[in-house]
Amino acid sequence: MFVPQNLSNEELLQAYLDLQARVTQFSSIEQELINMRDTLDQELEVYKRMNDFHAEALEVGDVPELLTLTAEYVVDLFECEMGYARVSDVQSNTLVADHLEGGQRNLADRHVSGFRAVRAGTDGATPFAWHEAAERRQPQSSLTLTVVAAVSEVRAGTYTPFSAKKAALFRLFVESCAPYVENIHATAQIQHQLETIRKSELEQRRLSLIATTTHSGVIIADPHGHIQWVNDAFTANTGYALDDVLGLKPKDFLQAPGLNDVETLRNLSRALAAHENVSVDLKNLRKNGEPFYIRLNVTPVFDPEQRLVNFIGIQQDITEGKVNQEQLQAQNEELTKINQELDQFVYSISHDLRAPLLSIQGLLDLIDLDAGQEGNAVYLKMIAESVSRLDHTILEILNYSRNARLDVHPVEFNFRTYVNDLVADLSNLRPDIAVRVDWTGEEVVRLDEVRVGVLLKNIVSNALKYSKQGQEGGEVVLAVQVEQDRCSVRVSDNGMGIGQEHLDKVFDMFYRATQRGAGTGLGLYICKEIVDKLNGTLSLHSTLGEGTVVEFTLPQ
């Protein structure tokens, strides 16, 4: 790099002003990262509150209570003035129940068209500025759940209309609420039927007819818990016919060790032994091994002399609600991970970007104090090195940002030419190291060219950078194998290697296994993120003092 030997005061002042501008720019980037973290915190809070809703909804016992809970959470989760939830029976065209939260109950007919009428001001009520509505009907059910979020024109300036992302989240919320309505309604029907059956042994005959037509699985067992009869819904849900399970206990084929916590199973056994009603949520296995969730209600049936004659078990499939809850939990954990990485990212970037700038500032101050031209040249060289480190850090940040934001864009290109050109460019880093490319298979591939370039550059430059200093025989070998459905690259060197205590951390953000060189610790982390984005695999093997092997495979 050419370094001017003589700089005037005006040129030094201009360089100082340029650096000040860069400091301001980097401060702006730092603030944007902090704002991004705040946004992720807000989204994480929404998912946590949705998770709270599902936890409460699983405990709700009737439809009006569920609709009250739903309307309250609509106002809370989606930050609107009013939340409205309604369940109607489409077969009888009747309203089952509804609840309005945060507004006046003066709607024309208290359903979605009523909201549109109010918006137009046709019924004398306060017009609405905007509203978002969603409906969901469970398969094989006549019940329809309608949920609306709305804001009046009077309060329009206080609330923000739904974005596309928020509207999608609203529809997902409504979709996850619908199974609770059906389960509660089915439970109420079955409990009412069982209450009637308990009044007389003759009513037990009616149970068979009811159980045959219900969508919930029904089991009739003897006083010892052995199955005497199951309905068609049980067979459809579990895959087991009556002949498969006759004389068995449900736990003999639906359960497996470790599926449910010990306390839940203990409470179920205790209630059955005491001939008491019991309701528990269980995770079972279908005949094909697929897991599913049920809410099991067991009712003992007694004869007129209060002798136990049967147990009747009702299995309601709550898999959809449980899966939604687990997905929300997984999203919460993912957002927590992202938030933690962002905190670490902001801290490290703030430190790594400011340190070279402060060094440049100090060197410029020394230049002002040193009248000798020879000293100025040394200082300017140090400034150039600091700026180079800063530029490298910024490029790695950009690579990380692009990989996280941009979609995968595969294109066809000559991979062999691409690799040869990249090796030629990087060989200037260490002219004393021999680089060899071993090729197997086709030359043209269909991959994301930009991401593959970043991936290869990071791995090969590391192999060159951390080779043994001052020794002959240094070598880096690229073994490339291109197949019809995949492409594999193996980069090996006989350099300094990595200690075993570092191998499980080398792909962590900002982790550096050695202080040699001016790396940021982002290179291998970005490689791992790229490979994951491309649905590939990445591995690293190394022995201290002998060398390192990095291998990745990408699907075409």
Side-chain angles (χ1 to χ4, degrees):
M1 176 180 177
F2 174 74
V3 179
Q5 297 298 317
N6 297 291
L7 290 177
S8 65
N9 289 337
E10 289 79 10
E11 290 172 327
L12 288 174
L13 178 60
Q14 183 60 44
Y16 172 77
L17 293 175
D18 290 343
L19 289 172
Q20 286 291 94
R22 291 186 182 183
V23 170
T24 302
Q25 181 182 3
F26 295 145
S27 298
S28 175
I29 293 173
E30 181 180 357
Q31 184 60 46
E32 289 179 4
L33 291 172
I34 293 173
N35 294 339
M36 186 186 302
R37 180 190 62 189
D38 293 340
T39 300
L40 289 174
D41 285 339
Q42 293 173 2
E43 292 184 6
L44 176 61
E45 184 60 28
V46 170
Y47 281 113
K48 285 181 177 179
R49 284 187 286 170
M50 285 184 68
N51 192 39
D52 293 339
F53 166 81
H54 286 288
E56 292 184 45
L58 286 172
E59 302 300 324
V60 170
D62 59 54
V63 171
E65 184 181 356
L66 176 66
L67 296 181
T68 299
L69 183 68
T70 302
E72 290 174 351
Y73 266 85
V74 166
V75 173
D76 180 47
L77 280 174
F78 301 99
E79 300 177 345
C80 58
E81 182 183 359
M82 282 164 282
Y84 176 68
R86 174 181 71 96
V87 171
S88 58
D89 191 324
V90 296
Q91 287 185 349
S92 60
N93 195 26
T94 58
L95 177 69
V96 177
D98 71 339
H99 182 80
L100 176 66
E101 184 71 17
Q104 299 178 355
R105 297 187 63 86
N106 56 358
L107 305 179
D109 53 355
R110 296 206 300 269
H111 61 31
V112 177
S113 63
F115 273 85
R116 292 176 181 144
V118 172
R119 183 182 182 187
T122 57
D123 64 350
T126 302
F128 286 103
W130 54 265
H131 74 275
E132 187 75 26
E135 290 187 349
R136 174 66 193 273
R137 178 181 174 184
Q138 287 288 88
Q140 299 179 339
S141 173
S142 62
L143 298 182
T144 298
L145 171 66
T146 303
V147 181
V148 181
V151 171
S152 66
E153 289 188 354
V154 176
R155 304 288 298 278
T158 310
Y159 298 88
T160 304
F162 277 28
S163 63
K165 183 176 182 180
K166 198 170 185 179
L169 188 61
F170 178 80
R171 291 190 294 272
L172 175 63
F173 172 79
V174 176
E175 186 174 342
S176 67
C177 294
Y180 299 126
V181 175
E182 182 62 22
N183 285 335
I184 291 173
H185 185 69
T187 300
Q189 287 182 322
I190 294 170
Q191 292 297 337
H192 177 72
Q193 294 164 356
L194 291 177
E195 187 64 28
T196 303
I197 291 171
R198 292 190 194 101
K199 296 178 181 179
S200 171
E201 278 188 308
L202 295 177
E203 296 292 336
Q204 190 168 345
R205 297 179 182 177
R206 301 179 185 176
L207 175 63
S208 176
L209 178 61
I210 296 172
T212 300
T213 57
T214 185
H215 297 304
S216 298
V218 178
I219 302 173
I220 298 179
D222 65 20
H224 303 290
H226 299 104
I227 294 177
Q228 295 178 325
W229 181 84
V230 296
N231 70 342
D232 292 339
F234 175 90
T235 299
N237 196 24
T238 66
Y240 291 99
L242 177 60
D243 291 340
D244 298 327
V245 300
L246 189 64
L248 300 178
K249 294 183 177 181
K251 66 178 183 179
D252 294 338
F253 57 94
L254 292 177
Q255 287 290 305
L259 274 184
N260 297 282
D261 65 90
V262 176
E263 188 60 28
T264 298
L265 298 177
R266 185 180 293 119
N267 290 339
L268 176 60
S269 297
R270 186 184 302 117
L272 294 178
H275 302 166
E276 297 174 350
N277 293 340
V278 62
S279 178
V280 294
D281 291 348
L282 296 174
K283 184 178 183 180
N284 286 340
L285 294 176
R286 294 189 171 96
K287 189 174 183 179
N288 61 7
E290 179 185 0
F292 68 106
Y293 294 91
I294 63 164
R295 175 159 294 162
L296 176 64
N297 294 281
V298 180
T299 301
V301 179
F302 302 91
D303 63 12
E305 287 74 35
Q306 293 303 302
R307 291 175 299 190
L308 180 68
V309 292
N310 288 111
F311 283 106
I312 299 178
I314 310 298
Q315 294 184 345
Q316 302 162 41
D317 192 337
I318 59 172
T319 302
E320 186 172 356
K322 284 287 188 179
V323 169
N324 286 335
Q325 187 176 5
E326 291 176 353
Q327 289 176 343
L328 285 174
Q329 180 65 31
Q331 291 170 342
N332 288 342
E333 294 173 357
E334 179 64 17
L335 285 174
T336 300
K337 174 179 175 293
I338 293 173
N339 198 41
Q340 290 172 347
E341 290 181 350
L342 185 59
D343 285 340
Q344 183 183 5
F345 188 86
V346 171
Y347 172 81
S348 298
I349 291 304
S350 175
H351 178 272
D352 289 345
L353 291 183
R354 294 192 65 199
L357 293 175
L358 293 176
S359 175
I360 293 172
Q361 181 64 57
L363 292 170
L364 289 174
D365 292 340
L366 290 174
I367 291 175
D368 290 337
L369 297 176
D370 191 347
Q373 298 302 316
E374 183 177 352
N376 286 350
V378 174
Y379 296 145
L380 289 173
K381 181 179 180 181
M382 296 173 68
I383 290 174
E385 292 175 349
S386 296
V387 172
S388 178
R389 289 198 304 272
L390 182 59
D391 183 57
H392 179 69
T393 300
I394 294 172
L395 286 177
E396 289 197 323
I397 295 171
L398 290 175
N399 287 334
Y400 169 76
S401 175
R402 290 189 185 115
N403 183 63
R405 291 183 293 104
L406 301 181
D407 293 332
V408 175
H409 183 60
V411 295
E412 286 191 358
F413 63 99
N414 191 304
F415 193 37
R416 188 164 192 168
T417 301
Y418 192 93
V419 170
N420 290 337
D421 291 344
L422 183 141
V423 168
D425 291 339
L426 294 178
S427 294
N428 295 325
L429 294 174
R430 291 290 301 277
D432 57 324
I433 301 298
V435 181
R436 189 177 83 245
V437 178
D438 296 334
W439 199 275
T440 303
E442 300 293 329
E443 296 184 0
V444 176
V445 297
R446 183 174 178 81
L447 297 168
D448 189 316
E449 185 175 1
V450 175
R451 284 185 168 88
V452 172
V454 174
L455 181 62
L456 271 175
K457 182 177 180 181
N458 280 341
I459 295 174
V460 176
S461 62
N462 274 352
L464 292 169
K465 186 189 305 180
Y466 297 107
S467 295
K468 296 178 181 177
Q469 297 283 357
Q471 296 187 21
E472 297 182 357
E475 185 181 44
V476 173
V477 178
L478 281 76
V480 184
Q481 182 174 5
V482 179
E483 300 177 51
Q484 184 177 4
D485 60 343
R486 66 175 60 87
C487 172
S488 299
V489 178
R490 186 175 186 268
V491 180
S492 58
D493 64 73
N494 57 356
M496 60 188 296
I498 303 173
Q500 295 297 312
E501 69 274 16
H502 300 293
L503 292 182
D504 60 340
K505 302 176 184 176
V506 293
F507 294 116
D508 292 350
M509 180 182 283
F510 297 114
Y511 187 83
R512 297 178 62 191
T514 177
Q515 295 305 311
R516 172 182 166 184
T520 62
L522 274 174
L524 286 178
Y525 174 80
I526 293 173
C527 289
K528 184 65 169 63
E529 292 291 306
I530 289 175
V531 171
D532 289 345
K533 190 88 170 183
L534 299 179
N535 296 320
T537 60
L538 175 66
S539 63
L540 182 147
H541 306 283
S542 185
T543 302
L544 190 62
E546 296 182 10
T548 302
V549 176
V550 181
E551 184 172 4
F552 65 86
T553 299
L554 303 175
Q556 291 208 67

